[in-house]
Amino acid sequence: MLSSPLIVLILFLTIGTSVCYEKSYANHQVWRLHITNNEQIAKISAFSHIAHLHDINFWSEHFRIDEPVDVRVPPAAVDSFAEFLTSDGVKIEYVVHMGDVGAIIENQKIVQNLTRLLSNTNDFAYDKYHTLEEIQAWIDQMVSTYSELATLFTVGKSYENRDIIGFKISSKKMATKLDGTKTAMKKAVWWDGGIHAREWISPATVIYIAYTFLSKYGQDPTITHLVDQFDFYILPVFNVDGYVYTWTKDRLWRKTRSKTSVPTCFGADPNRNWDYHWCENGASHDPCSDTFCGGKAFSEIEVSQVAKYIADQQGAIVHYINFHSYSQLWMSPWGWTAARPAQYKLQDDGSVVAINALAALYGTKYGHGSIAEIIYVSSGSSADWTYGTANVTFSYGVELRDTGEYGFLLPENQIIPTGQETLAGLIALVQYIEKHVYA
Ligand SMILES: [Zn+2]
């Protein structure tokens, strides 16, 4: 007879693998396309707008010569997509990069469930991915444990009526200008994670970094100094509805979960929905597309409320990062045009400072430049709005690990190293920003 813990374990794993994910990716493949010329880019860009009609989904957001393009292909589309890639006289070479996405998802879920079951502590594990419920409980815990430093803030409610919450880290001390005088005009930083639901490393990294700032204040002189110089707004999960959906229905969901004009298609891309050159380029008006810009600018209640919260800080925020994965890129405005803003060098030099400090830890290499130059012209993104409308000079979009080996399915054993190296990059970047804003 089976002992009762084993029965519980088997039941748990059975439930975990059969019920949690409604959308099955069994035998879905990820292909890596090799792009060598502009004709191929034109062909694949054009196709990317209709790919959803075949349940084909581009994991890569940028199509550039000699850079891999990853695309998920369902079993039913394998033959036709292969034929398409070799048709029209413009042949695109590819390799099957992942043979069975569904198997990877299921295996990760089994390991996650097993380690949770065998863990005999209720402490928040920083080397694990967490549900929204766990993350919100963690936020409450941080605010009560570090009550001298952290205060809860509520951005508002999501489309499905969930709380969008974060916390502000503030030592409540006056900042010191470079000449040694004190100033009550303290500047602030905003870091948010999880705007795209499936990019799980993003909330996990924001959480790791926020915890380090809280727990090292008063112990680590560098962090103590930065927390005395800046207030830090931390929003671990921006797109709360989408994030819950990736845990319960579809691990690879990206968008929000609002209703659209098409009854079978849900959500808009919250990083194409901001009211700054909204939906001019590099975004779709098709509600079924993964880059759907929404029915209008700020149609998504999550986006409009975060924007309002940032605007309400009335210029205090001088640095913004919208964390994504994957590709290892540190990007500054603009996204909407390939033209560079007047402060491009100031912003991009910050990116270089960050990625050099980041690489010094484990050798992880990041690219840098403007969003339009690095990915493609894509309007309505967060960093364009925070810079263009809210005047946040040091606005960035950051794509965390990896470069596609696991893509959105980055294993949990990379959470801590990603957190550590990103922390090194952020400390260097905030030190760089400090020199400019307190001059
Ligand atoms: Zn993203």
Side-chain angles (χ1 to χ4, degrees):
M1 193 181 154
L2 291 170
S3 66
S4 61
L6 193 54
I7 292 171
V8 170
L9 175 64
I10 289 166
L11 277 175
F12 193 82
L13 292 179
T14 310
I15 292 165
T17 52
S18 63
V19 176
C20 277
Y21 297 118
E22 210 159 78
K23 167 130 183 158
S24 168
Y25 288 99
N27 298 312
H28 285 230
Q29 301 177 347
V30 172
W31 294 4
R32 178 158 277 194
L33 316 186
H34 187 211
I35 304 287
T36 56
N37 61 53
N38 286 322
E39 288 72 36
Q40 293 171 329
I41 291 180
K43 176 174 174 169
I44 209 68
S45 302
F47 177 76
S48 70
H49 300 300
I50 55 154
H52 60 270
L53 299 175
H54 310 275
D55 190 26
I56 289 173
N57 185 259
F58 281 84
W59 281 19
S60 301
E61 289 202 51
H62 61 316
F63 308 136
R64 286 159 67 95
I65 289 169
D66 286 334
E67 287 186 24
V69 171
D70 298 336
V71 54
R72 178 183 56 74
V73 185
V78 161
D79 291 342
S80 55
F81 191 51
E83 199 179 316
F84 166 77
L85 290 178
T86 54
S87 66
D88 303 337
V90 182
K91 188 173 176 356
I92 299 174
E93 303 279 353
Y94 70 93
V95 293
V96 177
H97 178 61
M98 291 183 191
D100 186 349
V101 174
I104 297 170
I105 292 172
E106 295 305 326
N107 286 339
Q108 290 188 347
K109 195 69 194 169
I110 288 169
V111 172
Q112 272 174 24
N113 286 342
L114 196 56
T115 51
R116 275 159 181 263
L117 205 63
L118 298 177
S119 153
N120 48 12
T121 167
N122 288 325
D123 291 349
F124 187 90
Y126 290 90
D127 60 351
K128 299 274 176 267
Y129 294 120
H130 291 276
T131 63
L132 182 72
E133 203 180 3
E134 290 167 342
I135 292 171
Q136 295 197 331
W138 172 81
I139 291 172
D140 288 340
Q141 189 201 330
M142 290 300 103
V143 169
S144 64
T145 305
Y146 300 98
S147 56
E148 296 291 303
L149 277 183
T151 47
L152 187 85
F153 69 82
T154 303
V155 170
K157 294 272 191 187
S158 70
Y159 184 83
E160 293 177 342
N161 211 34
R162 294 184 177 90
D163 289 322
I164 306 168
I165 58 170
F167 53 82
K168 177 185 177 183
I169 302 173
S170 176
S171 68
K172 299 167 194 77
K173 290 188 176 164
M174 287 217 286
T176 308
K177 293 174 78 168
L178 293 186
D179 65 9
T181 58
K182 297 282 179 188
T183 173
M185 301 293 282
K186 197 166 185 170
K187 304 298 184 186
V189 167
W190 179 289
W191 292 330
D192 64 52
I195 193 169
H196 285 144
R198 63 191 174 185
E199 300 165 3
W200 283 9
I201 190 62
S202 157
T205 302
V206 170
I207 286 167
Y208 177 87
I209 286 158
Y211 174 68
T212 307
F213 270 68
L214 287 173
S215 60
K216 296 271 178 77
Y217 181 79
Q219 294 175 26
D220 178 294
T222 304
I223 285 176
T224 305
H225 174 74
L226 292 181
V227 172
D228 285 340
Q229 290 291 78
F230 294 91
D231 289 339
F232 291 81
Y233 291 90
I234 306 291
L235 178 63
V237 186
F238 188 127
N239 175 10
V240 288
D241 296 346
Y243 189 71
V244 168
Y245 200 73
T246 61
W247 278 84
T248 55
K249 301 289 185 191
D250 181 350
R251 172 65 184 86
L252 295 173
W253 188 256
R254 166 182 167 98
K255 298 188 286 179
T256 59
R257 290 297 304 165
S258 56
K259 284 201 175 82
T260 70
S261 58
V262 177
T264 51
C265 295
F266 293 86
D269 183 339
N271 203 31
R272 298 288 185 282
N273 190 239
W274 298 68
D275 191 8
Y276 192 77
H277 291 270
W278 172 77
C279 218
E280 290 178 5
N281 280 299
S284 175
H285 283 289
D286 180 347
C288 305
S289 164
D290 246 4
T291 53
F292 176 46
C293 57
K296 59 180 184 189
F298 287 153
S299 60
E300 302 314 287
I301 191 168
E302 300 83 4
V303 179
S304 66
Q305 291 179 116
V306 169
K308 183 177 185 307
Y309 201 94
I310 289 171
D312 285 349
Q313 307 316 310
Q314 298 180 337
I317 298 174
V318 293
H319 170 41
Y320 174 86
I321 299 182
N322 192 226
F323 282 100
H324 296 256
S325 71
Y326 62 97
S327 290
Q328 296 173 195
L329 299 168
W330 209 285
M331 299 177 294
S332 53
W334 301 111
W336 72 276
T337 172
R340 290 175 167 179
Q343 289 173 298
Y344 174 77
K345 191 173 182 330
L346 182 67
Q347 296 160 328
D348 186 60
D349 284 354
S351 296
V352 172
V353 164
I355 66 176
N356 285 343
L358 186 155
L361 201 57
Y362 297 118
T364 309
K365 295 244 181 318
Y366 271 58
H368 66 95
S370 81
I371 297 163
E373 287 175 273
I374 289 237
I375 295 190
Y376 54 59
V377 174
S378 55
S379 50
S381 72
S382 56
D384 274 11
W385 184 89
T386 55
Y387 180 52
T389 300
N391 299 314
V392 178
T393 303
F394 298 94
S395 289
Y396 299 93
V398 171
E399 300 274 1
L400 297 167
R401 288 193 190 191
D402 56 11
T403 53
E405 184 182 359
Y406 294 98
F408 304 120
L409 303 174
L410 196 73
E412 290 183 325
N413 64 13
Q414 292 201 38
I415 297 174
I416 299 291
T418 303
Q420 290 168 328
E421 67 190 11
T422 309
L423 175 71
L426 292 177
I427 287 173
L429 176 57
V430 178
Q431 288 171 330
Y432 167 84
I433 292 169
E434 180 189 15
K435 293 195 189 86
H436 293 279
V437 300
Y438 288 118

